[in-house]
Amino acid sequence: MFKKLFEAVNPWNYIEEWLLEVGIDVVLSSQYICAIAGMIGLILYLFGCNKGKTVASISPVIYVIIRILGSVLLGI
């Protein structure tokens, strides 16, 4: 009886579920975040900011890394 009660009110279950949901949302929305960052980087590069070139070229790499980590850790 106490085991079921402890499992029902265990805060670690809620924290684990929340972290999994947040992780899945981050992995699934990383495509849009990286696309927006890449577009901003391209616009900055077109207006003469040399740092924009590195942001635009690194954005797809960051997306691939996030997808790989998401598939390995979260099984998406």
Side-chain angles (χ1 to χ4, degrees), residues 6-20:
F6 180 71
E7 289 176 356
V9 296
N10 188 1
W12 290 110
N13 291 336
Y14 300 114
I15 293 171
E16 180 183 8
E17 289 176 14
W18 182 79
L19 286 175
L20 284 174

Side-chain angles (χ1 to χ4, degrees), residues 4 13 22 25 28-29 36 45 60-61 63 69 74-76:
K4 289 183 181 180
N13 291 336
V22 168
D25 290 340
L28 293 179
S29 66
I36 291 169
Y45 181 66
V61 175
Y63 170 70
L69 289 176
L74 300 174
I76 296 176

